Amino acid sequence: METGFFSRPRPAPLAPAEEAAALKAARGLLAARLPSSRRGFLRRLTLGGVALLSGCSLRGDDGGDSVEQALMAISRFNDAAQGWLFDPAALAPTYPGSMITRPFPFNGFYPEALAPVVDEADYQLEVRGRVADRRPWRLAQLWALPQQEQITRHICVEGWSAIGRWGGVPFADFLRRVGADLGARYVGFECADGYYTAIDMPTALHPQTLIALSYDGQVLPRSYGFPMKLRIPTKLGYKNPKHVRALFVTDRRPGGYWEDQGYNWFGGL
Ligand SMILES: Nc1nc2c(c(=O)[nH]1)N[C@H]1C(S)=C(S)[C@@H](COP(=O)(O)O)O[C@H]1N2
Ligand SMILES: [Mo]
């Protein structure tokens, strides 16, 4: 299913008063369209979320037209898109190989040249928290597990999206294999570059959530998260940790590098 509403240019920021007005209007429109059980997220709705929901970049330099367009798109928001965004079991759209974005963009909280260099020989994935088997994993052991591939869209709140092809181990299979407490609430991730983030258990168990070991048929390149990243197509880019070196299962909601600076924790809306 190609919904087509996520491609957009990098936006220029809105003025603070415009931001506040756009958010207030978006919350009002969405409140009218959501079941009461789903309205909790509205308090945490960010402008990135508005852009994601509407597919419109919110620019400050076009006289407010983009805000108006975004709000119109939200008011037309269809049930299929809502299902994908709000139902933890719904599948993210997948795409044909011909739609892969080349080259796939790099993003990180530092320039690409500073991406961490992780030595495969030294690498161990630590597993902690509410898990029966906490033995660390070598990369070869992860590669030995049954693999799956997906071509999905990565959406960054900074205003770009790109389609890529990732392969790896369904995270639900991994969690079952290590005897994770699947009734626990969260899985947290720590990365080799100091980045960190976390997801809720329904997202961890989602059939498209992968321990990604490959990108476009190649060993996952350094820029995209070698030796492994979590690929979570139902979540925004910042919820997809690269260079993961440790994960833990917990009931206490972990923070995140961007989440702790105000990004929406749920990050998929
Ligand atoms: N370890 C680590 N993971 C990270 C980040 C980061 O800076 N460090 N940035 C996040 C953000 S905001 C995005 S958009 C994606 C970018 O992934 P890409 O370089 O494969 O496009 O990685 C996410 N995961
Ligand atoms: Mo991002």
Side-chain angles (χ1 to χ4, degrees):
M1 178 180 80
E2 162 61 293
T3 50
F5 54 50
F6 293 124
S7 300
R8 52 187 192 269
R10 198 170 277 272
L14 295 177
E18 293 174 306
E19 283 188 13
L23 270 178
K24 189 168 175 226
R27 286 193 180 106
L29 285 167
L30 284 164
R33 299 183 59 79
L34 289 172
S36 53
S37 62
R38 295 290 184 188
R39 280 181 206 149
F41 99 90
L42 291 177
R43 274 179 283 113
R44 308 186 306 267
L45 184 68
T46 60
L47 282 184
V50 171
L52 169 66
L53 289 169
S54 64
C56 301
S57 57
L58 302 174
R59 302 173 58 84
D61 50 7
D62 66 357
D65 281 358
S66 69
V67 172
E68 203 160 278
Q69 275 166 20
L71 295 175
M72 276 170 58
I74 285 177
S75 69
R76 285 193 309 266
F77 202 47
N78 69 44
D79 291 342
Q82 283 197 32
W84 173 60
L85 288 163
F86 296 112
D87 173 355
L91 295 178
T94 58
Y95 300 87
S98 59
M99 288 184 69
I100 293 173
T101 307
R102 299 181 197 280
F104 193 87
F106 163 86
N107 199 21
F109 66 91
Y110 43 73
E112 185 165 1
L114 300 182
V117 179
V118 178
D119 181 358
E120 172 166 358
D122 297 341
Y123 177 75
Q124 292 207 325
L125 172 65
E126 281 176 40
V127 180
R128 301 197 303 257
R130 302 182 57 154
V131 175
D133 181 354
R134 299 197 199 93
R135 280 177 298 181
W137 285 69
R138 294 281 181 190
L139 199 53
Q141 294 175 294
L142 292 172
W143 274 100
L145 300 178
Q147 313 274 312
Q148 215 178 73
E149 269 209 344
Q150 61 174 257
I151 301 176
T152 52
R153 190 185 292 273
H154 171 116
I155 302 163
C156 174
V157 284
E158 287 175 57
W160 57 272
S161 79
I163 293 172
R165 173 173 164 229
W166 292 269
V169 181
F171 194 39
D173 293 353
F174 178 85
L175 289 173
R176 290 199 177 89
R177 196 174 282 267
V178 299
D181 175 359
L182 304 182
R185 298 180 64 174
Y186 306 106
V187 183
F189 303 97
E190 295 168 4
C191 307
D193 56 1
Y195 194 83
Y196 57 107
T197 187
I199 53 176
D200 55 291
M201 187 60 79
T203 300
L205 298 176
H206 186 283
Q208 289 173 308
T209 297
L210 290 186
I211 288 182
L213 301 169
S214 74
Y215 181 77
D216 204 15
Q218 310 287 326
V219 170
L220 189 68
R222 175 179 158 210
S223 296
Y224 304 150
F226 183 84
M228 80 91 153
K229 68 172 277 180
L230 262 285
R231 175 61 192 141
I232 310 170
T234 53
K235 293 290 175 192
L236 294 168
Y238 64 89
K239 286 290 198 189
N240 286 239
K242 303 191 287 188
H243 319 287
V244 175
R245 45 163 299 278
L247 61 87
F248 54 100
V249 175
T250 176
D251 278 333
R252 279 189 47 193
R253 195 169 90 166
Y257 181 90
W258 290 114
E259 294 88 329
D260 292 349
Q261 298 176 56
Y263 278 33
N264 176 279
W265 190 89
F266 198 52
L269 303 179

